[in-house]
Amino acid sequence: ARDAGWLYEVASQMAQRGSRFRAARSDPMRMMYQNALERMSKRQRSVRTLRWLERWTPRGVWALLWRDLLLSWRLQGWGLVLMLLLLVAIPAIPLGIVRYTLEKNPLTVAKLIYVMIQYMVVLMTALGSYYGIVDLLRRVDFQKPFPFSSREVVLVESLPTALLFLMVQLVVALVATFFFPQAWGFWLGMGLALASFAPVLQMAMWALALLNPDPNDYTQRLVLSLLMFPVILLTGLPGGLILGVGLALKFSPLLLAPIVIVANLSVGAILVAMNSRLYEQFSPVD
């Protein structure tokens, strides 16, 4: 009886940690995303707004892009810059190692390593964007009254990730050209082609998030786990086939890149139309 208050506090902490443990075990990616947001929000409270963000006063639907950039900087700050550097370093460091350690066919090995690593980076970017879209949909009741069409909202909300990935690919192409200047056309063409996959796969994640907006629900999580990789495979298949066949036939990546981009944009346009209709019908209450 004397320690009832203390025991109650211990029991409440055990219950809270137990629920977090069960949530982490059932959906570890979601828990990692939440923990990262909590850490960044506590650590970056003193981050100042960038001057160009303060001066830029967009109108219309572009204000949504300004809001996303501002929130990303306020939440992550220099962590966002470090993340960009990491995305550049993941493919760049192996290329540098191959350039200065291998004596036989270093360029061929470098191209194979580049394609494999960039495939993984594209896939991780697409999978990671799902939880960001889910968080965005939780604020949809504040956003729907704005005089923006659903197509505009879907497109503008997808721009930050797409532009970020394009910038990373161009920097990686520049670093790879520094190591292997004779293959500058391969790095630039492949960078542009791979960058075009990011908006397509993100549109696929939009569709999954609109159909399964609650990853904590067991049924939705099960459906999501069954559909995620087949949807990614189907949406990336047209551009992937063109790119794979072209590389197998030894076509120039600079010639392949526009064809792959057109194929991905065509698939992306279909997904935008579908996601726009789903967004119009979406209600966070339901």
Side-chain angles (χ1 to χ4, degrees):
R2 183 176 63 250
D3 297 328
W6 179 78
L7 291 173
Y8 179 81
E9 182 67 23
V10 172
S12 64
Q13 289 187 14
M14 291 177 63
Q16 183 180 7
R17 294 184 181 184
S19 63
R20 289 176 64 87
F21 173 75
R22 288 190 295 271
R25 185 173 58 182
S26 61
D27 194 356
M29 286 294 293
R30 174 67 183 174
M31 185 57 62
M32 289 172 59
Y33 183 80
Q34 287 181 341
N35 291 339
L37 284 179
E38 291 175 1
R39 288 195 303 270
M40 288 184 292
S41 62
K42 293 177 181 178
R43 188 172 62 247
Q44 301 291 344
R45 286 176 181 173
S46 61
V47 173
R48 293 183 58 186
T49 307
L50 297 176
R51 291 187 179 274
W52 65 271
L53 276 178
E54 292 177 351
R55 295 193 187 101
W56 186 33
T57 55
R59 297 291 184 267
V61 73
W62 298 108
L64 299 178
L65 177 60
W66 176 84
R67 180 204 62 189
D68 290 340
L69 292 173
L70 184 61
L71 286 176
S72 298
W73 178 253
R74 284 294 179 90
L75 277 176
Q76 302 180 41
W78 292 108
L80 181 62
V81 178
L82 293 177
M83 184 186 70
L84 293 176
L85 293 176
L86 179 63
L87 290 176
V88 172
I90 288 175
I93 291 177
L95 293 181
I97 294 174
V98 169
R99 171 66 179 83
Y100 295 107
T101 57
L102 289 184
E103 297 181 357
K104 186 177 181 181
N105 296 327
L107 181 58
T108 303
V109 177
K111 288 180 178 179
L112 291 175
I113 292 176
Y114 172 86
V115 172
M116 289 188 295
I117 292 179
Q118 292 295 71
Y119 165 78
M120 291 168 41
V121 170
V122 172
L123 194 60
M124 288 189 298
T125 303
L127 295 176
S129 67
Y130 168 80
Y131 293 104
I133 297 170
V134 168
D135 282 343
L136 183 149
L137 293 177
R138 290 174 179 170
R139 304 189 301 267
V140 74
D141 53 341
F142 299 103
Q143 192 162 291
K144 274 200 171 182
F146 295 152
F148 308 139
S149 67
S150 57
R151 183 183 295 270
E152 289 176 333
V153 172
V154 171
L155 285 173
V156 172
E157 291 288 3
S158 304
L159 275 180
T161 302
L163 293 176
L164 172 72
F165 196 76
L166 175 61
M167 182 175 65
V168 169
Q169 291 303 314
L170 293 178
V171 174
V172 171
L174 184 63
V175 174
T177 302
F178 173 78
F179 291 130
F180 299 94
Q182 69 274 26
W184 68 269
F186 178 86
W187 310 124
L188 180 59
M190 286 295 294
L192 294 174
L194 289 171
S196 67
F197 283 93
V200 177
L201 299 183
Q202 193 179 14
M203 283 297 113
M205 294 298 101
W206 261 92
L208 291 176
L210 287 165
L211 294 172
N212 303 277
D214 186 8
N216 295 321
D217 181 79
Y218 176 77
T219 304
Q220 293 189 32
R221 189 167 65 248
L222 179 62
V223 173
L224 181 67
S225 63
L226 292 174
L227 292 180
M228 186 170 285
F229 283 100
V231 168
I232 289 177
L233 180 63
L234 289 175
T235 53
L237 188 61
L241 280 178
I242 294 173
L243 185 61
V245 172
L247 290 177
L249 296 177
K250 297 183 179 180
F251 289 165
S252 171
L254 286 176
L255 297 177
L256 278 175
I259 304 175
V260 174
I261 292 172
V262 170
N264 284 331
L265 289 181
S266 301
V267 176
I270 297 172
L271 291 173
V272 167
M274 182 181 71
N275 291 334
S276 301
R277 182 171 299 180
L278 291 173
Y279 182 81
E280 288 180 355
Q281 302 171 352
F282 179 79
S283 173
V285 177
D286 298 338

